[in-house]
Amino acid sequence: MAVYEATASAPVNIACIKYWGKRDTKLILPTNSSLSVTLDQDHLRSTTTSRADPSFTEDRLWLNGKEEEIKEGGRTATCIAEMKRLRKQEVEDKQPNEPKVKNHPHHAPQILRSDHLGLQLSTHHVHIASFNNFPTAAGLASSASGFAALVSSLAQLYKLPVSPSTLSLIARQGSGSACRSLFGGFVAWEQGTLPDGSDSLAVEVAPQSHWPDMHALICVVSDDKKGTSSTSGMQRTVETSPLLQHRIKHVVPQRMADISAAIRARDFDKFAEITMRDSNQFHAVALDTEPPIFYMNDVSRAIIALIVEYNRVSVEKGLGRKAAYTYDAGPNAVIYTLKENVKEIVELILKYFPQREGAFKDVFGLLGGVDVAK
Ligand code: PMV
């Protein structure tokens, strides 16, 4: 008997222009566009296997070996349902004139058999097992890689000839930022304007090969679970922050254009300036929320001071900025830099934040997958 099973993996992405705020919480439509860099496949990624079988009595999910409930109407259930719908649509599109095909002496049996099986496949329940190759407790967002891998594995299982942008529409409904992990390299999530969300998708700005020297260092400051989830934090910010409204209307559109141009021109100085400013504004918006949300801690802020000083010296020498910090909904730092500076920055960080003081749980080198002095 045929086994219907497929495996896919997807990496984590880290935003330079932050997504923060939903205009539709069910479809996960954002209040602004965002842009990120997808990290290297070798380091932080989720690998997911999906299997369809007529003997399965329900859809089930295991994360790192532990079964998780698939809540009815929840995000995982939505992604699975959407993928089944695409499969059904794909099979139906292939047999628009079924009676004619049936009467055709040569092709009928073949087409009928595959269509029959195909339709069944989308009605079978699925079992899904997903693993992260990084500690889930490390305080690093795994939902982006997780939902991107889930949707990709189902696309493979159902043999869907669809683009990453089409899949991003579905991954988005699992976790907003997941839509950007469908592409490698530099990726924009265009917010879109349509109420059904059909134009709120990820597009490639440039592949990783366009700027292979770009690296990311992840400094795990704390592996505590974050205090305010992105879902409830965003909702509170949308409801209470006047600064968010200013950001949406007057700041992000220009930044999206400017950082895309900087990436195309491989202008690291500009890329760094915009990335750091946008991280700062995201955390300012969190502070402008009522009651306020604090994601960074004293160590996060000390790393900012160190990078600011490092860049000041570099700019004074006429070399421009050499590093860009950015922080998501937690205290861990991601530092973008070019390959030639990775060693120097890792040494600098470890000098000021020696591990014995417990400032860092770990320092990973990412993008291109090299370079970390342990
Ligand atoms: O996709 P979510 O709900 O995990 O939200 C991610 C929000 C940030 O990481 C803070 C910003 C971003 O664009 O990834």
Side-chain angles (χ1 to χ4, degrees):
M1 207 181 85
V3 172
Y4 294 102
E5 185 180 289
T7 299
S9 75
V12 161
N13 72 74
I14 304 289
C16 302
I17 305 295
K18 304 294 185 191
Y19 146 56
W20 196 254
K22 298 182 180 86
R23 66 175 195 277
D24 184 314
T25 50
K26 177 68 187 131
L27 289 170
I28 310 195
L29 302 177
T31 47
N32 61 262
S33 295
S34 56
L35 187 143
S36 59
V37 182
T38 299
L39 303 187
D40 192 273
Q41 275 280 357
D42 293 341
H43 293 276
L44 307 184
R45 67 158 193 268
S46 304
T47 302
T48 303
T49 300
S50 298
R51 179 187 274 229
D53 194 292
S55 71
F56 294 162
T57 53
E58 57 179 344
D59 294 334
R60 292 172 74 183
L61 170 73
W62 288 261
L63 291 184
N64 296 316
K66 191 175 156 279
E67 183 158 14
E68 304 275 327
E69 191 195 345
I70 300 179
K71 290 203 187 80
E72 217 188 296
R75 294 174 178 195
T76 305
T78 301
C79 286
I80 296 172
E82 281 292 290
M83 292 306 293
K84 286 181 179 175
R85 188 182 59 75
L86 274 191
R87 166 71 191 193
K88 214 162 163 265
Q89 194 181 317
E90 167 71 16
V91 173
E92 280 165 4
D93 285 353
K94 277 195 179 150
Q95 47 165 24
N97 304 310
E98 209 193 356
K100 256 190 248 158
V101 174
K102 261 186 195 159
N103 294 335
H104 194 288
H106 299 299
H107 296 117
Q110 204 186 347
I111 292 170
L112 277 179
R113 193 170 66 236
S114 70
D115 284 346
H116 177 62
L117 273 179
L119 277 173
Q120 265 192 353
L121 197 56
S122 65
T123 61
H124 292 340
H125 289 292
V126 286
H127 284 186
I128 299 167
S130 188
F131 288 90
N132 297 328
N133 71 338
F134 55 98
T136 308
L140 300 162
S142 55
S143 62
S145 54
F147 278 106
L150 183 144
V151 165
S152 301
S153 77
L154 287 170
Q156 220 165 302
L157 175 73
Y158 294 153
K159 300 201 168 30
L160 297 175
V162 291
S163 67
S165 286
T166 300
L167 290 181
S168 79
L169 291 166
I170 296 174
R172 187 200 75 221
Q173 297 174 59
S175 175
S177 57
C179 75
R180 298 185 310 237
S181 277
L182 266 308
F183 288 96
F186 303 84
V187 189
W189 172 11
E190 291 175 348
Q191 65 180 100
T193 53
L194 300 173
D196 69 353
S198 56
D199 60 348
S200 185
L201 42 68
V203 294
E204 183 185 84
V205 175
Q208 187 184 348
S209 58
H210 168 73
W211 206 351
D213 282 353
M214 179 66 84
H215 275 55
L217 296 170
I218 300 200
C219 309
V220 179
V221 171
S222 161
D223 58 13
D224 291 348
K225 228 179 131 3
K226 61 189 170 203
T228 308
S229 74
S230 55
T231 299
S232 66
M234 279 184 207
Q235 187 173 349
R236 227 157 78 199
T237 303
V238 168
E239 284 165 4
T240 63
S241 168
L243 181 56
L244 181 75
Q245 299 311 317
H246 170 75
R247 166 174 170 74
I248 292 166
K249 284 190 205 81
H250 302 296
V251 180
V252 173
Q254 190 61 49
R255 274 191 190 156
M256 285 294 292
D258 291 348
I259 200 164
S260 300
I263 290 164
R264 287 192 193 103
R266 292 189 207 92
D267 179 347
F268 188 85
D269 180 68
K270 195 77 198 157
F271 170 88
E273 183 199 343
I274 299 170
T275 296
M276 291 187 285
R277 276 177 174 252
D278 205 72
S279 174
N280 295 346
Q281 188 172 69
F282 157 50
H283 290 278
V285 154
L287 183 64
D288 192 45
T289 300
E290 178 58 35
I293 309 169
F294 305 93
Y295 285 123
M296 294 190 292
N297 64 17
D298 285 350
V299 179
S300 320
R301 283 184 285 271
I303 295 171
I304 291 181
L306 189 63
I307 298 298
V308 166
E309 181 59 13
Y310 178 70
N311 279 335
R312 190 188 61 76
V313 172
S314 176
V315 168
E316 238 172 51
K317 285 184 192 155
L319 299 170
R321 296 173 186 83
K322 292 205 291 191
Y325 60 78
T326 187
Y327 295 80
D328 281 339
N332 299 326
V334 174
I335 299 168
Y336 286 113
T337 189
L338 297 179
K339 190 175 177 187
E340 68 214 43
N341 307 314
V342 168
K343 194 166 173 287
E344 189 176 63
I345 293 173
V346 170
E347 280 167 6
L348 191 69
I349 289 173
L350 291 180
K351 182 176 161 202
Y352 283 93
F353 304 94
Q355 259 150 324
R356 67 188 143 76
E357 287 177 14
F360 287 102
K361 295 284 188 248
D362 210 345
V363 182
F364 302 102
L366 292 167
L367 278 191
V370 275
D371 302 327
V372 174
K374 284 258 176 175

